[in-house]
Amino acid sequence: MNTALYIVTLSLLFFSYYKDKKKTKMALKKAWKAFENILPEFLVVILLVGVLLAVVNPEVISKIIGSDSGWMGVVLAAIVGAVTLIPGFVAFPTAALLLQGGAGYMQIGAFVSTLMMVGVVTMPVEIKYFGKKLTIYRNILAFIFSFIVAYIIGLVVT
Amino acid sequence: MKKILKRYRAFLVVVAAVLVLTIFNYELGMKALNITAYSLKEMILVIPPIFVLLGLLDIWVPRETMVKYMGEGSGLKGILLSIFIGFAAAGPLYGAFPVAAVFMKKGVKFSNILIFIGAWSTTKIPMFLFEVAALGTQFAVTRLLIDIPGIIIIAVILAKLVSKNEIKKIYQNAENFDH
């Protein structure tokens, strides 16, 4: 996946350079400025994620939502998903383990949904671009929406 | 120097907190630092190409083109494009925000930007395959089918919740991001 991203980026960059050196330089300058602007927030988020994942590992998660069932389990699963930020290639196998550990599809649906859509630790970055109000509204709506996702998944998936 | 210190103040506070944590609980602190190093590596790998692509997009794609496809009056075409770009993207959610900023500069409609953020946050094409493998086709497909209308509805509600003035401010803020 990363390789594809690099191949596309590099070929476009070479093409741009071939077409117009000055414009390419300007594009790279803009890229650097945009990156440098958000770097402090990025670093905060990455450190917070490090601490969070050290504390909240799969065993802890499965203790919280593993054998629980019903709506209480769904609420806990949604909260755990909202505050953690786990890359997908770790999250989905973890969710599969939780299923084997006795969690229901409804809880897993809530967990996966808030994990993807709600980002409590990434809020500093989001606020810098969208402001406090919109960031908080978006995360709250996504959190509520995750319960609908959980409910429907609970109905459909067996 | 003072300016740099001020900008990185929050980061320095968190670093200090992690170091204190490491003194009290060596194992936990080291684990946190290890995971941080790992995410940092991931960030260094994925983030630079995203920003370079954004720089190129900013320079080469004229505003009129973006407005035509994703701006006011782009209708269903704009919605579908926003969803598709979000799904096809790579990287964690915080990578979506700089992209949104460039979209704002190029005059993409606010609700389409929110749909794009929603799509990016719910799934990606490679992630979807992971989800199918780990949790089954039924789970992944059901989630995808609920999410598509879901992100559109959330975008519409959000666009209604903030005033025209606030949206204008967010767009102005985006103008300053590469200066």
Side-chain angles (χ1 to χ4, degrees):
Chain A
M1 188 57 210
N2 282 342
T3 325
L5 186 62
Y6 270 86
I7 291 171
V8 170
T9 309
L10 282 177
S11 5
L12 285 174
L13 197 60
F14 280 126
F15 185 66
S16 164
Y17 190 76
Y18 171 75
K19 279 271 196 192
D20 192 327
K21 262 189 192 172
K22 219 173 136 201
K23 271 190 164 180
T24 309
K25 253 192 189 155
M26 241 163 86
L28 285 176
K29 218 170 155 185
K30 272 177 180 280
W32 169 251
K33 281 279 176 200
F35 173 69
E36 210 273 329
N37 230 319
I38 197 65
L39 188 61
E41 283 79 8
F42 269 177
L43 290 174
V44 170
V45 166
I46 279 177
L47 259 176
L48 287 179
V49 170
V51 176
L52 252 167
L53 286 190
V55 180
V56 189
N57 49 42
E59 294 92 70
V60 175
I61 297 176
S62 71
K63 255 187 210 149
I64 298 174
I65 59 175
S67 53
D68 257 83
S69 57
W71 282 102
M72 199 55 212
V74 174
V75 172
L76 285 174
I79 292 172
V80 173
V83 293
T84 46
L85 187 142
I86 310 174
F89 59 90
V90 181
F92 291 126
T94 304
L97 278 179
L98 294 178
L99 266 182
Q100 284 165 15
Y105 276 105
M106 211 156 81
Q107 285 88 336
I108 298 301
F111 173 69
V112 169
S113 190
T114 56
L115 190 63
M116 302 285 159
M117 299 182 81
V118 184
V120 172
V121 279
T122 50
M123 273 185 166
V125 177
E126 193 170 350
I127 286 173
K128 196 158 180 195
Y129 287 99
F130 283 101
K132 265 197 191 125
K133 189 176 164 186
L134 196 77
T135 300
I136 292 170
Y137 282 170
R138 191 195 72 79
N139 280 284
I140 290 175
L141 282 178
F143 189 77
I144 297 169
F145 174 66
S146 299
F147 286 91
I148 301 172
V149 174
Y151 179 71
I152 297 176
I153 282 182
L155 282 183
V156 175
V157 184
T158 44
Chain B
M1 188 63 199
K2 226 176 162 182
K3 220 172 135 191
I4 294 177
L5 267 180
K6 201 179 160 216
R7 285 188 55 217
Y8 285 86
R9 194 177 47 198
F11 172 64
L12 294 173
V13 170
V14 182
V15 169
V18 174
L19 290 180
V20 171
L21 172 81
T22 313
I23 293 169
F24 283 102
N25 189 337
Y26 181 76
E27 206 187 326
L28 194 68
M30 283 319 278
K31 213 173 149 195
L33 288 174
N34 268 329
I35 296 169
T36 304
Y38 177 81
S39 326
L40 205 63
K41 218 171 71 193
E42 204 194 34
M43 182 181 107
I44 290 169
L45 231 67
V46 182
I47 297 295
I50 293 181
F51 278 96
V52 170
L53 284 178
L54 282 178
L56 290 173
L57 173 81
D58 203 356
I59 293 285
W60 286 106
V61 182
R63 194 184 152 90
E64 298 77 55
T65 313
M66 293 289 283
V67 171
K68 190 177 145 207
Y69 286 104
M70 295 169 81
E72 295 292 338
S74 59
L76 187 65
K77 183 176 59 188
I79 294 175
L80 291 177
L81 252 169
S82 306
I83 292 179
F84 177 76
I85 298 172
F87 279 174
L93 179 58
Y94 55 75
F97 303 126
V99 182
V102 175
F103 280 2
M104 286 179 207
K105 281 176 69 181
K106 293 286 176 187
V108 171
K109 197 179 165 189
F110 192 58
S111 61
N112 281 346
I113 286 174
L114 294 171
I115 289 171
F116 159 76
I117 294 281
W120 183 308
S121 75
T122 46
T123 200
K124 315 261 171 29
I125 293 163
M127 285 270 227
F128 180 76
L129 301 176
F130 251 113
E131 191 172 346
V132 168
L135 297 169
T137 314
Q138 217 183 10
F139 184 96
V141 171
T142 308
R143 202 172 75 82
L144 184 68
L145 288 181
I146 313 163
D147 277 345
I148 291 173
I151 54 184
I152 297 174
I153 293 167
I154 289 178
V156 171
I157 297 174
L158 281 175
K160 287 245 156 67
L161 279 175
V162 286
S163 67
K164 282 245 159 59
N165 218 350
E166 282 166 315
I167 294 175
K168 218 171 115 194
K169 262 194 202 144
I170 293 171
Y171 272 68
Q172 272 165 0
N173 178 37
E175 292 288 337
N176 299 323
F177 257 95
D178 49 16
H179 289 300

